[in-house]
Amino acid sequence: MSALTLKGPHWVTVRQHRRALWALPAAVAACLVVAVALRVLPSPRGTLDPNIWYDLRPSALEGAGRGMLILPVLIAAFVAGPMLAREMESGTYRLALTQSTTPKAWLASKVVVAAVLSAACAAAMIGVYRFGWAPVAGNYQLSWADRGTYEATGPVVVAYCLLGVGVGAVVGQWIRRTLPALLVAGAVTGLVVVVFGFLRWSVLPPVTLTTPLTERPEMGMPRSAFLMESGLLKATGERMPEWACTSPSGGLGPCAADLQVTGRYVDYHPYAHYWLTQLIETAAVLALTALALHAAFRVLRSRRG
């Protein structure tokens, strides 16, 4: 990463961590090479059909999507450990404060450099992932709502990377020891990613489709829909699991008269919910990022005080 156009503490930050900062652009370049290769290379049968189950593309993209979830954790660990806590643990940050640099400018240089590079590389990885994902979109574990694919195809992963920077800035100053700060920042960021993953599909109400007992409501769903729940309906509107009327053969059998089952239902999210959910989650994560950065500068002022 070139530091020729940077000045002051920003130039120092890039100079100090230039080798580590080059890792993100290098990862983007490597992913692009792999994505291009998977798009142009034929499948094992010598065809270009992307839907063959043993094709490398679905497996590679599923792993890449999961890998994108780890990126914010790595960013948080780097900012908290090598970028901040190590300087405070060794006392080298005091040298920067003797070079006409205020504590606020010193911390801001770390945050700005990490945030700009992280956001730019995350956005580039989204483009690379979408390029490789297009031919196999909708395959098993590669639907728009699946874990990994959902994050890797939208702006939410950029927000998570910025959150990693904010969490790293707080934890690095608070703990001031490299290894503990690295572990704590990574764990906190990973926990946020996991929690939001469980909550995201409960923000918007799903679409409900009901049918008589003799029909399958799944047949009326759009092919791109994300199924949330299915079951049986009683005359009172109460919901019941499908196994309540399971036949000995394992299929849906006759229901007992006292159950008063009159129909079936499915809850699903249509593809139209994808971008709205992405924007809501991105806004929530960016709000947490702002709080983390505010806390980081408050910690800085309290330490200096």
Side-chain angles (χ1 to χ4, degrees), residues 1-293:
M1 183 175 182
S2 175
L4 295 177
T5 59
L6 300 175
K7 297 180 180 179
H10 296 88
W11 180 90
V12 174
T13 299
V14 173
R15 187 70 180 170
Q16 281 180 318
H17 305 285
R18 61 189 182 279
R19 293 182 180 177
L21 295 176
W22 267 111
L24 281 177
V28 173
C31 290
L32 179 60
V33 170
V34 173
V36 171
L38 292 176
R39 281 288 294 267
V40 301
L41 291 178
S43 65
R45 287 183 178 176
T47 69
L48 292 176
D49 181 7
N51 296 315
I52 298 176
W53 66 272
Y54 55 81
D55 197 342
L56 290 175
R57 277 164 280 191
S59 299
L61 286 164
E62 184 180 348
R66 303 283 181 176
M68 290 280 275
L69 298 175
I70 303 176
L71 183 60
V73 176
L74 296 178
I75 291 173
F78 175 75
V79 173
M83 189 170 272
L84 286 174
R86 186 167 62 186
E87 288 197 24
M88 293 185 167
E89 186 177 17
S90 62
T92 55
Y93 76 99
R94 296 189 181 91
L95 178 62
L97 302 183
T98 63
Q99 306 298 317
S100 301
T101 299
T102 64
K104 184 177 180 180
W106 172 80
L107 178 58
S109 68
K110 307 288 187 183
V111 170
V112 169
V113 169
V116 170
L117 184 63
S118 300
C121 290
M125 284 188 174
I126 292 172
V128 172
Y129 186 89
R130 278 188 164 272
F131 173 78
W133 173 68
V136 294
N139 278 25
Y140 178 70
Q141 294 296 323
L142 289 174
S143 172
W144 58 270
D146 285 325
R147 197 67 193 269
T149 300
Y150 169 86
E151 290 88 353
T153 54
V156 69
V157 72
V158 178
Y160 280 123
C161 289
L162 294 176
L163 176 67
V165 175
V167 171
V170 176
V171 174
Q173 293 183 92
W174 177 43
I175 297 182
R176 294 192 167 200
R177 295 180 60 191
T178 305
L179 185 58
L182 183 151
L183 295 175
V184 171
V188 170
T189 304
L191 179 62
V192 173
V193 173
V194 171
V195 169
F196 272 79
F198 280 111
L199 297 178
R200 68 170 56 106
W201 299 117
S202 60
V203 175
L204 296 178
V207 176
T208 300
L209 183 64
T210 62
T211 62
L213 189 59
T214 56
E215 299 180 11
R216 293 179 57 86
E218 294 88 349
M219 302 302 294
M221 291 171 46
R223 291 186 61 184
S224 61
F226 176 46
L227 177 64
M228 296 294 296
E229 185 181 348
S230 63
L232 305 174
L233 283 175
K234 298 179 67 173
T236 59
E238 182 183 353
R239 294 183 170 189
M240 297 180 60
E242 290 187 352
W243 53 260
C245 296
T246 303
S247 66
S249 61
L252 182 65
C255 298
D258 60 335
L259 293 179
Q260 298 182 339
V261 175
T262 59
R264 305 172 71 179
Y265 76 94
V266 291
D267 288 340
Y268 68 91
H269 284 287
Y271 180 71
H273 286 183
Y274 169 78
W275 282 111
L276 186 55
T277 305
Q278 282 272 348
L279 293 176
I280 293 173
E281 185 173 352
T282 299
V285 176
L286 290 178
L288 289 179
T289 303
L291 289 175
L293 291 175

